[in-house]
Amino acid sequence: QVQLVESGGGLVQPGGSLRLSCAASGFTFTNYWIHWVRQAPGKGLEWVSGTDFDGVNTYYTDSVKGRFTISRDNAKNTVYLQMNSLKSEDTALYYCADIFQDYWGRGTQVTVSS
């Protein structure tokens, strides 16, 4: 049974930091890229970041470059998203996903507000 379980979301003030985790099971984790995708209230899905099989190559949408860092620990079947200098516009439900196989987690809520 494939599972992607996100954690680490919460309420944080502007300028603060959070680290999201995505624990994967039920498939060969090291064979697939893993992505973070978010959905802000009332908006569509927005791709945020992705990492290749071993975390060497990472990619980001322009709005988070320099603030977010994606990484993965293949020994733990886990992907992380370190989010720094958070802004109100980062408020969203954050999903991790193996887009190629269309596996998605249920999401973790990030709210940036004073």
Side-chain angles (χ1 to χ4, degrees):
Q1 179 184 1
V2 172
Q3 281 194 309
L4 291 168
V5 180
E6 304 94 338
S7 61
L11 174 64
V12 63
Q13 293 187 341
S17 298
L18 284 174
R19 188 175 84 151
L20 306 183
S21 298
C22 170
S25 61
F27 65 103
T28 307
F29 181 74
T30 53
N31 284 1
Y32 297 95
W33 291 46
I34 300 294
H35 304 265
W36 287 96
V37 179
R38 67 186 179 186
Q39 186 168 29
K43 297 190 176 180
L45 293 173
E46 177 190 24
W47 176 84
V48 175
S49 180
T51 175
D52 68 355
F53 315 105
D54 54 7
V56 172
N57 295 298
T58 58
Y59 302 89
Y60 303 91
T61 192
D62 285 347
S63 63
V64 308
K65 282 180 183 176
R67 300 189 299 122
F68 290 12
T69 303
I70 190 171
S71 61
R72 67 191 292 165
D73 183 340
N74 285 345
K76 296 182 178 180
N77 280 13
T78 301
V79 173
Y80 304 98
L81 187 68
Q82 177 66 44
M83 306 187 297
N84 299 328
S85 302
L86 283 161
K87 305 176 181 180
S88 58
E89 50 263 44
D90 296 317
T91 294
L93 187 60
Y94 283 73
Y95 300 94
C96 69
D98 169 358
I99 294 175
F100 183 80
Q101 297 190 100
D102 199 22
Y103 297 151
W104 292 72
R106 294 187 175 185
T108 186
Q109 178 67 40
V110 172
T111 303
V112 184
S113 175
S114 55

